[in-house]
Each structure stands twice: as C-alpha cells, then as structure tokens.
Amino acid sequence: PFYLQQLVLKFKEFFCNYLSGNIKYIDKVCGKAALAVVKSEITRRTTEGWKYKYEDILDIKSPNFLGGFIPDKQPPSFSFTIEI
C-alpha cells in the first residue's frame, strides 16, 4: 500500500540521519523518550569516537508495520520492523 511505502521512505530518511549523527534533523522528527534515546546514542558514539561503517542504507526489505499513534499536539509515532 502507498502509506506503507511512504512510511518506509520516512524511516529510511530517519535512519540515515541517525547513522550520520544529524542531531538537528533528529530534533525535528523525534519527541520525548524517543528523542532522549536517539540523542544519547548519537552522543555516546561521538564521545567514544566510533562511527557506523555505512551512513546510508541502500534498501529496506520486508517492512512490517506494527502500528501508529497520533497524540494531540505531539508528533505522530510509528512502529515497524525492517531488514536492512
């Protein structure tokens, strides 16, 4: 379905920004606990001086959309599993 394709593209965009350590982007798309976890992982990577081998993923296989939640006055939240 079209919505699943859009979610996969958005996740790919998010994940590539996460891998590259783009906190500015992460601040725009994450909130609350997710933002805290992702920023702490990026900060830990920077502090410990290590990087991922690849910052861009080429493809996402077998997306499995688990669900979504759109709270009032907060960013939406989506959960799914993938193979990369």
Side-chain angles (χ1 to χ4, degrees):
F2 179 74
Y3 74 90
L4 185 56
Q5 292 172 338
Q6 293 301 308
L7 285 174
V8 169
L9 288 174
K10 284 295 176 191
F11 179 77
K12 187 174 179 180
E13 181 181 340
F14 163 79
F15 198 61
C16 288
N17 278 283
Y18 165 72
L19 292 177
S20 67
N22 186 351
I23 291 180
K24 194 173 186 179
Y25 173 85
I26 299 300
D27 278 331
K28 291 179 183 178
V29 300
C30 285
K32 297 192 177 189
L35 178 61
V37 169
V38 172
K39 283 177 87 171
S40 69
E41 283 299 310
I42 291 172
T43 302
R44 183 172 65 95
R45 267 191 346 236
T46 304
T47 302
E48 294 178 4
W50 60 277
K51 291 183 176 185
Y52 285 102
K53 185 174 182 179
Y54 303 104
E55 292 183 355
D56 292 322
I57 52 178
L58 300 176
D59 197 11
I60 294 175
K61 302 173 193 160
S62 305
N64 182 25
F65 180 63
L66 302 174
F69 178 67
I70 304 176
D72 289 338
K73 299 180 183 177
Q74 294 179 18
S77 171
F78 303 100
S79 298
F80 50 100
T81 60
I82 59 166
E83 286 181 40
I84 54 173

